[in-house]
Amino acid sequence: MTHSRQWILQRVDADRFFFDGPNVSFVVTLEPNGKVPTPQAYQDQVVSYMKEQKIETKETKPIESNDLPSGSISHFQFEATIKERASLLDYWVRSVGSLGITVASNAASPAEEGVLADLESIVTSAAFFEPEPPDTTPSPAPNPPSTPAEK
């Protein structure tokens, strides 16, 4: 995954990476192998969360999916008011086979020029690697400590 220097990695919590940038923040979640949600399931999860949090939204972009040379990308968007701030909430599902990420962003609305294009570029650039099985070869026994030579 590539990103411009305007994004700062704020913290990592197990499978989530939290970034901040100019008037926008986003979270990248590494989804478990074989458990990447469908775009509709992710949107349903987001809508459910927003209802629980009493966030009033207006869908501005329905789910849009595209095939890429490697895998696929889906995107949807809402306008919302969060803590009295107009926000643009963007969501992506990026997958390659059984591997993938979900990304959620919260930008001040209207978003600065190029911010959403930068985010989409970040999501599109994500690369995935099949997990390798752990090495079960026993480690060689350590060498015994050497003794100082007598004088």
Side-chain angles (χ1 to χ4, degrees):
M1 189 168 79
T2 57
H3 68 88
S4 67
R5 291 184 198 151
Q6 68 180 352
W7 305 105
I8 298 169
L9 178 62
Q10 292 296 328
R11 74 178 199 273
V12 177
D13 291 340
D15 59 355
R16 291 187 175 178
F17 298 79
F18 295 81
F19 292 86
D20 280 332
N23 296 318
V24 64
S25 60
F26 69 99
V27 179
V28 177
T29 302
L30 303 175
E31 297 296 339
N33 192 357
K35 303 217 179 192
V36 180
T38 65
Q40 186 62 58
Y42 187 42
Q43 186 181 55
D44 292 346
Q45 177 186 349
V46 167
V47 168
S48 176
Y49 173 80
M50 288 194 282
K51 283 181 182 175
E52 286 174 17
Q53 299 299 311
K54 296 180 176 39
I55 297 171
E56 292 185 31
T57 64
K58 173 181 138 189
E59 183 176 352
T60 56
K61 258 192 183 174
I63 296 171
E64 198 174 282
S65 298
N66 294 298
D67 289 331
L68 300 173
S70 171
S72 64
I73 186 170
S74 298
H75 172 253
F76 57 95
Q77 180 183 81
F78 295 95
E79 285 182 9
T81 302
I82 301 175
K83 297 180 181 173
E84 300 181 20
R85 182 187 111 179
S87 297
L88 198 55
L89 308 175
D90 282 86
Y91 299 89
W92 289 268
V93 176
R94 171 80 169 98
S95 63
V96 175
S98 64
L99 305 173
I101 58 173
T102 53
V103 178
S105 74
N106 180 347
S109 181
E112 288 182 27
E113 178 114 8
V115 167
L116 297 178
D118 283 353
L119 285 168
E120 184 143 348
S121 175
I122 290 168
V123 176
T124 303
S125 72
F128 302 93
F129 304 93
E130 288 292 337
E132 294 184 16
D135 184 6
T136 57
T137 309
S139 299
N143 293 330
S146 57
T147 56
E150 292 184 24
K151 292 188 181 182

